[in-house]
Amino acid sequence: MKVFIASAYSTSLDKFLNLASEVSNVFATRNFDLVYGAANVSMMGACYKAFVKNNRKIYAYTVPKYEKDFKKIPKAKCYRVKDTLVRFQKMYFRSDYIVILPGGIGTLAELTCAIKEYRASLGNKKIIIVNYEGFYDDVINWMKKNIETEFISETLFDCFYIANSVEDVEKIVEESMVKEK
């Protein structure tokens, strides 16, 4: 099985590095392979290192602007794509699980695209939003507000899981793997 982990590329997020490592270990120790955005720094780098440590396969996707990063991730099978839309599409369809860690505008775009694609393609993925320290509270409240105003169907929250801790992620993965057997 494969997990697409969306997270920040910014190097100023030291407080989230441990989270990225721990969440990655939840999957890597259960024989998942990593699909991600091709970086060796910050949270993305922490994910890469956890999967390397566990001898798992890694599939890295990026756009030409960041292609130089491929040299820094020698254990990954690297793919250059023309733009971030194609990048997301490749990562989404290559994965069984989508994990959204704290991140910036790119991570938020991946979250909303994952939910939209899940709804359009009859829900064939497990999407986990890691709401560590309430990071996504405002996004979740925005979703609730849009359900109240009927811009979004009330079935939206059926599309994903919300995990507030690494232990929550672990529980979601364990329960869903048991159901799949």
Side-chain angles (χ1 to χ4, degrees):
M1 296 191 80
K2 295 177 187 70
V3 58
F4 163 24
I5 300 180
S7 66
Y9 180 83
S10 173
T11 57
S12 63
L13 297 169
D14 289 344
K15 82 179 227 175
F16 295 111
L17 294 180
N18 194 45
L19 172 69
S21 293
E22 290 181 19
V23 168
S24 292
N25 279 321
V26 167
F27 288 93
T29 58
R30 286 168 177 78
N31 297 321
F32 279 77
D33 295 326
L34 175 64
V35 177
Y36 86 125
N40 74 323
V41 297
S42 191
M43 295 171 70
M44 286 187 183
C47 295
Y48 172 79
K49 290 170 189 157
F51 280 84
V52 167
K53 180 182 169 189
N54 285 282
N55 285 327
R56 301 306 309 157
K57 291 180 183 173
I58 301 165
Y59 305 92
Y61 291 84
T62 198
V63 296
K65 179 178 180 178
Y66 303 113
E67 189 173 9
K68 66 185 179 331
D69 291 342
F70 286 161
K71 294 176 187 170
K72 299 172 185 172
I73 52 172
K75 300 288 186 182
K77 173 80 173 154
C78 299
Y79 301 91
R80 180 178 60 89
V81 296
K82 67 179 184 169
D83 58 46
T84 59
L85 297 173
V86 171
R87 178 180 165 268
F88 170 78
Q89 181 184 38
K90 297 285 186 185
M91 292 188 297
Y92 180 88
F93 285 108
R94 187 158 210 168
S95 303
D96 303 292
Y97 283 68
I98 313 297
V99 175
I100 308 295
L101 294 176
I105 195 71
T107 308
L108 182 60
E110 290 165 344
L111 165 62
T112 56
C113 286
I115 293 170
K116 182 66 178 160
E117 189 57 41
Y118 176 96
R119 292 169 62 136
S121 62
L122 306 174
N124 60 351
K125 308 285 179 188
K126 304 281 189 278
I127 300 171
I128 303 171
I129 300 171
V130 182
N131 191 32
Y132 181 74
E133 294 183 357
F135 188 88
Y136 286 107
D137 282 352
D138 289 340
V139 173
I140 293 165
N141 288 332
W142 175 86
M143 291 176 187
K144 290 176 182 176
K145 179 181 176 186
N146 277 273
I147 289 169
E148 290 171 14
T149 58
E150 299 180 2
F151 280 110
I152 299 174
S153 165
E154 57 188 44
T155 61
L156 178 72
F157 283 89
D158 297 338
C159 300
F160 54 84
Y161 301 90
I162 298 173
N164 294 307
S165 65
V166 175
E167 293 78 19
D168 288 351
V169 172
E170 199 163 26
K171 183 178 177 185
I172 292 165
V173 172
E174 286 296 323
E175 289 176 0
S176 63
M177 289 178 76
V178 167
K179 288 179 186 176
E180 291 172 3
K181 288 183 179 182

